[in-house]
Amino acid sequence: RPYSHALVRGRGALVRRDLLVQLGIGVGDAVLIGEQRFEVRGVIEAEPGRTSSGFSFGSRLFVDFDDLEAIGLVSYGSRASYQIRVTLSNGDPDRLASSLRDTMRAQFVSVRSYRSSENRISDHLVRAENYLSLVGLVIVVLGGVGVWSVVRVFVHQKIKSVAILKCVGATGGQILGIYLVQVMGMGLAGSAAGVAVAGGALWWLRPLVDSVSGVSTPYALTGAVFAQDRRAIAH
């Protein structure tokens, strides 16, 4: 159900589900916050501006602002931050944020718009994409080394067979072609198995990613996957 002030009015509290698990309580039970008892009246499922729970030193909890002083946690020496959220009916939020930022430059106040939050998320995704690309490149190099080791062992095991082929009149080009076809066949079989595993993992992770991000996005294997497999075989 959507949030309403009645949920926290009169010593009510809204908590994250992990707090209920940690304390072994449920909705309707009481929790002691500072010096006051609060009734748990709901579980937080989603918050505006927060796509995930993120990192925090404790479970998130919402109480009425009027009850904050009675708790006794915010006093001299306490470290607390306050947020004021503004909704614009029209106008450019970035221009307003820039104007307020210039006005409050000499104060301990930071101003940002929802677009800056989106930009940070985009930057994180780009950084993650670059990291995964680097990991993919390392995997390709290691795959090439692995293929070279396997081929080396395979050829070493076929020395006697090569000698027999030489004795029956096979040329060096024919022998090279025979074993090259075999090596290429093993490489293609391994690449097909890798692509099949990647497709299965993608099919398994798709609903999990959609549930975490809250956005249904189509995912599919691209030609870059097959290009990386071809490069590994070439190595």
Side-chain angles (χ1 to χ4, degrees):
R1 56 179 174 175
Y3 167 80
S4 65
H5 185 249
L7 292 174
V8 295
R9 183 186 296 116
R11 302 290 173 81
L14 303 178
V15 302
R16 282 282 183 184
R17 191 175 303 275
D18 54 357
L19 180 63
L20 302 182
V21 176
Q22 293 173 7
L23 300 181
I25 59 176
V27 176
D29 294 334
V31 293
L32 184 65
I33 306 175
E35 302 175 354
Q36 301 294 328
R37 296 175 64 88
F38 287 79
E39 178 187 2
V40 178
R41 296 178 181 173
V43 179
I44 304 169
E45 296 291 344
E47 301 176 42
R50 290 177 63 90
T51 57
S52 62
S53 60
F55 173 80
S56 60
F57 291 100
S59 300
R60 292 180 65 79
L61 182 143
F62 288 83
V63 297
D64 195 340
F65 186 78
D66 294 336
D67 296 330
L68 186 60
E69 294 184 358
I71 295 177
L73 296 180
V74 181
S75 59
Y76 181 78
S78 300
R79 180 174 181 178
S81 61
Y82 298 85
Q83 295 182 2
I84 300 177
R85 301 189 177 187
V86 180
T87 301
L88 297 180
S89 57
N90 52 33
D92 187 1
D94 291 332
R95 180 179 300 177
L96 176 61
S98 178
S99 176
L100 292 175
R101 193 177 298 113
D102 294 337
T103 303
M104 302 179 179
R105 188 179 301 276
Q107 305 179 27
F108 293 98
V109 177
S110 62
V111 182
R112 65 179 185 269
S113 68
Y114 73 95
R115 292 178 181 173
S116 61
S117 300
E118 292 180 349
N119 292 335
R120 286 199 302 271
I121 295 175
S122 178
D123 293 339
H124 293 332
L125 293 177
V126 171
R127 193 174 297 111
E129 180 181 3
N130 294 335
Y131 171 76
L132 293 177
S133 299
L134 180 61
V135 171
L137 178 61
V138 173
I139 291 175
V140 169
V141 174
L142 294 179
V145 174
V147 171
W148 172 80
S149 300
V150 172
V151 171
R152 182 175 178 275
V153 174
F154 176 76
V155 173
H156 182 73
Q157 293 176 348
K158 298 298 182 180
I159 291 179
K160 294 183 179 180
S161 300
V162 172
I164 294 174
L165 291 175
K166 280 286 190 178
C167 292
V168 298
T171 63
Q174 292 175 338
I175 296 174
L176 179 62
I178 291 173
Y179 290 108
L180 181 61
V181 170
Q182 293 183 13
V183 170
M184 292 295 293
M186 290 189 297
L188 291 175
S191 298
V195 172
V197 171
L202 192 62
W203 174 83
W204 180 73
L205 289 174
R206 180 183 301 175
L208 179 62
V209 173
D210 290 344
S211 62
V212 172
S213 63
V215 180
S216 180
T217 305
Y219 304 95
L221 295 177
T222 62
V225 175
F226 303 97
Q228 290 181 356
D229 285 337
R230 288 198 298 270
R231 288 196 295 269
I233 295 174
H235 288 300

